Amino acid sequence: MNLVTAGESHGKALVAIIENLPANIAITADYIKYYLNLRASGYGRGGRQKIESNEISILSGIRNGYTTGAPIGLLIENNDYINWKEIMDVAKADMDSKKITKLRAGHADFAGVMKYNLQDARNILERASARESAIRVAAGSIARKFLEALNIQVCGYVRQVGNIIDNKHYIFRQIQKSRENTLFMLDTVLCNQAKNLIDNVKSSGDTVGGVIEIHVHNIKVGFGSCMTYAEKLDANLAREVMSVQSIKGVEFGEGFALAYKNGSTVHDVIGYKDNQFYRKSNHAGGIEGGMTNGEDIILRAVQKPLPTLRQPLTTIDIVTKQEEKSAVERADCCAIESCQIILESVICTHLAKVILRRLGGDRLEEVQERYEKLP
């Protein structure tokens, strides 16, 4: 399976092509739209979400509600393009009206203009923008449906917003209810504290980030590999998660907290009951030696405070070389809920790829049969 995306933040549309998914996976536009709506929701979001309807067009590879095995083509039109047509025209674009020369800290602006020898960061920010993640959520929703057909479930919750931290342990059944709550937090008291924090940060023109925890439930043993570093599952999941805009750190299981403990207290003891192996704990987060060990995959990711500020930082103008205030684009104060849905989606996409690499299969029934035979 392979996913390729294209499109700019204010361009005509976002597009995706998914190759080599098996036939007979049930999927509807409404199912995809559900996750696109979740991505667009959230406490602290900005004005762009009010403009975009995120309607999904399925161009190919799905007929009568089922994948056919052919490449799947997806398209999300950008409603805001009507306001940017002259700026983003593919043939005769206005190159001056929305020129970005006052480079923004925390964005791709500086590295991008240096890499591509530009005097305007517009081309950089249009592709680096988190708007691109909408089409990854659409593609990830199809991968999620494939995983569900194998009884693999992926869900997360918001563990931290700013300095408001939820350190409690939750089982997967509780985590599945996170999307029913504001900020996707499971503790009501902490959620209200986080909302107050976001309100205060927004009123000062600032931004705030947080920590998201994702669980993968019911995945069997042996996905990934210890034989080549390129196939280590935790390494590849970390890469996928780090590819999401504003993510600056990833850990599995207890992650960095393991540094403070002794080995005798952190390694997951193996047990055997009812003709099945199991672990008496899950400090490793479901992955050992780059492979799933049968326990839930537990992954946490840090989203930095978003870098576009309504009270901009100082910078240097790339043309004049003079100190200026950074350019300001429309942005969110907090996008932690959106980020959770994006992370779930990219994880679903990668897990679908890993499962198909190991099991193969041209149609869903083949994959299901092979998956059922695994220990």
Side-chain angles (χ1 to χ4, degrees):
M1 177 190 154
N2 186 48
L3 169 66
V4 177
T5 72
E8 290 80 35
S9 180
H10 298 99
K12 291 182 179 180
L14 303 170
V15 297
I17 296 176
I18 310 169
E19 297 177 310
N20 299 322
L21 262 181
N24 302 333
I25 302 168
I27 190 71
T28 66
D30 286 343
Y31 182 89
I32 299 171
K33 183 65 184 296
Y34 170 76
Y35 288 99
L36 287 173
N37 286 343
L38 284 177
R39 176 198 166 276
S41 66
Y43 201 82
R45 300 303 303 277
R48 181 71 186 269
Q49 309 312 315
K50 298 176 183 178
I51 297 172
E52 300 298 346
S53 59
N54 291 315
E55 294 296 332
I56 183 71
S57 296
I58 299 172
L59 305 179
S60 65
I62 296 174
R63 183 169 183 258
N64 196 36
Y66 291 89
T67 58
T68 66
I72 298 171
L74 302 174
L75 180 143
I76 300 173
E77 292 187 3
N78 288 326
N79 293 345
D80 206 15
Y81 177 68
I82 192 172
N83 302 312
W84 288 76
K85 186 179 184 306
E86 292 183 0
I87 308 300
M88 299 300 296
D89 190 85
V90 297
K92 297 181 179 180
D94 178 351
M95 301 296 287
D96 297 316
S97 295
K98 294 288 185 177
K99 192 173 184 179
I100 298 291
T101 62
K102 301 168 185 177
L103 307 179
R104 303 162 302 164
H107 281 274
D109 296 1
F110 173 77
V113 297
M114 293 293 108
K115 177 180 175 67
Y116 294 104
N117 191 28
L118 304 173
Q119 294 293 297
D120 173 14
R122 173 60 58 189
N123 286 352
I124 305 304
L125 66 91
E126 285 292 336
R127 183 57 183 166
S129 167
R131 173 66 185 156
E132 174 270 345
S133 65
I135 199 67
R136 283 203 272 177
V137 169
S141 299
I142 300 176
R144 187 193 296 265
K145 203 74 165 90
F146 168 66
L147 297 180
E148 288 175 353
L150 304 177
N151 198 30
I152 299 169
Q153 298 168 300
V154 179
C155 192
Y157 72 101
V158 172
R159 182 183 174 96
Q160 179 175 344
V161 176
N163 61 358
I164 310 299
I165 306 172
D166 186 350
N167 284 319
K168 290 183 286 299
H169 173 76
Y170 298 103
I171 61 176
F172 190 75
R173 185 170 63 253
Q174 294 170 306
I175 292 169
Q176 285 180 296
K177 298 180 179 179
S178 69
R179 299 186 194 122
E180 301 171 6
N181 304 333
T182 305
L183 281 174
F184 296 166
M185 296 186 79
L186 294 171
D187 185 298
T188 303
V189 174
L190 293 176
C191 179
N192 288 332
Q193 293 176 9
K195 287 168 66 178
N196 290 334
L197 173 63
I198 292 170
D199 291 341
N200 292 334
V201 167
K202 184 176 182 179
S203 66
S204 66
D206 217 326
T207 61
V208 66
V211 175
I212 297 153
E213 183 169 306
I214 308 292
H215 288 228
V216 180
H217 188 58
N218 282 337
I219 189 164
K220 293 192 175 186
V221 178
F223 290 99
S225 178
C226 63
M227 298 303 181
T228 65
Y229 65 83
E231 293 182 86
K232 288 181 178 288
L233 183 61
D234 44 1
N236 286 317
L237 283 176
R239 178 188 180 279
E240 295 299 315
V241 168
M242 289 294 294
S243 76
V244 174
Q245 294 85 349
S246 293
I247 296 298
K248 297 299 288 184
V250 181
E251 64 179 3
F252 292 84
E254 293 193 18
F256 285 97
L258 296 175
Y260 301 94
K261 301 179 180 181
N262 295 331
S264 58
T265 67
V266 302
H267 296 299
D268 302 312
V269 174
I270 303 169
Y272 189 77
K273 185 178 180 181
D274 299 330
N275 296 318
Q276 285 189 323
F277 292 99
Y278 72 99
R279 299 304 177 106
K280 298 181 180 181
S281 58
N282 192 14
H283 302 295
I287 299 178
E288 291 173 313
M291 299 172 290
T292 56
N293 65 12
E295 300 298 315
D296 284 7
I297 298 174
I298 300 175
L299 177 154
R300 279 182 292 280
V302 177
Q303 183 190 38
K304 71 180 181 181
L306 303 177
T308 295
L309 308 175
R310 288 193 296 112
Q311 299 293 332
L313 303 173
T314 59
T315 188
I316 298 297
D317 187 301
I318 190 68
V319 175
T320 68
K321 310 300 189 295
Q322 299 299 308
E323 185 174 285
E324 302 274 1
K325 289 290 185 179
S326 296
V328 177
E329 294 273 308
R330 183 173 46 222
D332 305 320
C333 164
C334 179
I336 197 76
E337 294 156 271
S338 176
C339 190
Q340 177 184 313
I341 300 303
I342 299 164
L343 294 184
E344 290 180 19
S345 300
V346 300
I347 289 170
C348 286
T349 298
H350 186 71
L351 289 177
K353 183 184 300 186
V354 169
I355 289 168
L356 288 169
R357 181 185 298 137
R358 181 182 182 190
L359 300 181
D362 296 314
R363 57 186 186 273
L364 177 62
E365 297 81 5
E366 287 180 304
V367 185
Q368 289 172 317
E369 182 180 353
R370 294 167 187 174
Y371 188 76
E372 283 300 313
K373 291 179 179 178
L374 296 176

